Amino acid sequence: MTTSTLKFIALFAMLVDHIGQFIPYTPEWFGWIGRIAAPIFIYCIIIGYIHTSNRIKYLSHMYSFSVFMAFLNLFINYYFNDTYNYITNNFFTPLFIIGFIIFIIDKKEVKYIIYFIIWQILSTLACFFFAGVISLPNLSDAQPIYLFYGSLFGNVFFAEGGFLFIVLGVLFYFMKDNKVKVAIAYSFFSIIIILVFHKWGSSMNAILYYLFPFANYQWMMIAALPFILFYNGKKGIGIKYFFYVFYPVHIVILYIIGVLIK
């Protein structure tokens, strides 16, 4: 499978997943299909990072779309605040953070890792501060506010999917040249997801809620492994910016349809 084929498969799975998320009365198995989307997109971002000729520009584009999506979500949530149904989707954020961490790793200097850790500590405190002091708009749910600031600051703890998906991206990067290692690491990661949900998935603790925001069927992401292993190293047709446009457009459309139906 080429990179573009992987992306189209992930796009389809993501669309089905978001139909299940936003449209009322859809069956649960829509979410089952959607579990394969995030891992494939993460794998594709690793491929894109490796083959791009300008990594700083690549990361800048990713961050720009992350910030754009954050403000788009903020506007939609403010406009439909009385529905108590909010958009928290911004997968650009974890993809950007994954790419940025890999960029730091490639520097092979400890000081950059230390800077990143310090930034994560400061940005986490900033998220708490701004969410508590400047929580505009005044939404009835704190989650979209924290994720908004998390996207602005590139924070690993307040990113869609939680920090474990960011860990998965780093694992993919280190295992990229050996599909056997990819299969082992990814299978082990899926088992970790099962254990994490069993331990903390049903917890009402706010911190655990942001760290492990998984459904009880998140382990079904293991179904993405065959697609990843069939990747043939080829680019395929060029759909460079299709995902960047499709992602916000389909989320807003599905969200509004869901609100109207409700």
Side-chain angles (χ1 to χ4, degrees):
M1 290 185 177
T2 63
T3 305
S4 58
T5 302
L6 285 176
K7 289 181 179 178
F8 279 123
I9 291 172
L11 281 170
F12 173 77
M14 178 183 68
L15 176 61
V16 174
D17 184 44
H18 288 162
I19 291 174
Q21 176 185 348
F22 293 113
I23 307 301
Y25 316 118
T26 48
E28 186 182 55
W29 57 264
F30 277 40
W32 302 351
I33 295 175
R35 294 315 92 192
I36 72 171
I40 295 177
F41 279 131
I42 291 173
Y43 189 75
C44 288
I45 209 69
I46 303 301
I47 297 171
Y49 174 86
I50 293 171
H51 290 98
T52 185
S53 59
N54 190 331
R55 292 175 176 175
I56 294 178
K57 183 178 179 181
Y58 185 77
L59 294 175
S60 298
H61 284 167
M62 193 67 65
Y63 178 71
S64 298
F65 279 100
S66 173
V67 172
F68 168 77
M69 192 69 195
F71 277 100
L72 179 62
N73 287 351
L74 191 71
F75 172 77
I76 297 295
N77 290 333
Y78 176 77
Y79 188 82
F80 292 98
N81 187 28
D82 58 338
T83 65
Y84 301 101
N85 182 30
Y86 303 112
I87 298 179
T88 57
N89 307 69
N90 188 356
F91 207 65
F92 290 124
T93 301
L95 294 181
F96 161 72
I97 295 174
I98 289 169
F100 190 71
I101 292 175
I102 294 171
F103 182 76
I104 292 174
I105 292 173
D106 282 346
K107 291 290 184 181
K108 297 180 181 179
E109 293 188 38
V110 176
K111 66 178 182 180
Y112 291 112
I113 298 175
I114 295 175
Y115 293 156
F116 180 77
I117 293 173
I118 293 174
W119 173 248
Q120 289 306 308
I121 294 173
L122 294 177
S123 65
T124 299
L125 295 175
C127 287
F128 282 119
F129 174 78
F130 285 112
V133 177
I134 315 177
S135 56
L136 297 176
N138 188 23
L139 305 179
S140 58
D141 189 344
Q143 185 186 22
I145 298 174
Y146 279 111
L147 292 181
F148 170 76
Y149 289 117
S151 296
L152 295 188
F153 298 135
N155 185 267
V156 298
F157 300 112
F158 296 113
E160 185 187 359
F163 80 99
L164 283 182
F165 274 122
I166 295 171
V167 172
L168 177 62
V170 177
L171 284 176
F172 275 151
Y173 180 69
F174 282 116
M175 308 296 178
K176 61 183 182 300
D177 297 323
N178 190 315
K179 289 189 176 182
V180 174
K181 290 182 178 180
V182 168
I184 294 173
Y186 187 71
S187 299
F188 181 74
F189 184 88
S190 299
I191 293 172
I192 292 295
I193 292 294
I194 296 174
L195 298 177
V196 163
F197 182 83
H198 180 73
K199 181 70 175 179
W200 297 296
S202 58
S203 173
M204 297 303 292
N205 182 285
I207 295 177
L208 295 177
Y209 177 75
Y210 286 104
L211 292 179
F212 312 115
F214 304 125
N216 61 354
Y217 48 80
Q218 183 62 46
W219 62 269
M220 292 183 178
M221 62 186 285
I222 190 64
L225 183 57
F227 299 106
I228 293 172
L229 294 180
F230 279 123
Y231 171 62
N232 60 14
K234 297 181 180 179
K235 181 179 179 180
I237 62 174
I239 53 170
K240 186 174 181 180
Y241 291 108
F242 181 75
F243 169 72
Y244 297 106
V245 175
F246 180 82
Y247 186 81
V249 169
H250 91 280
I251 284 179
V252 172
I253 291 174
L254 291 176
Y255 175 82
I256 293 175
I257 292 174
V259 168
L260 294 176
I261 291 176
K262 287 183 179 180

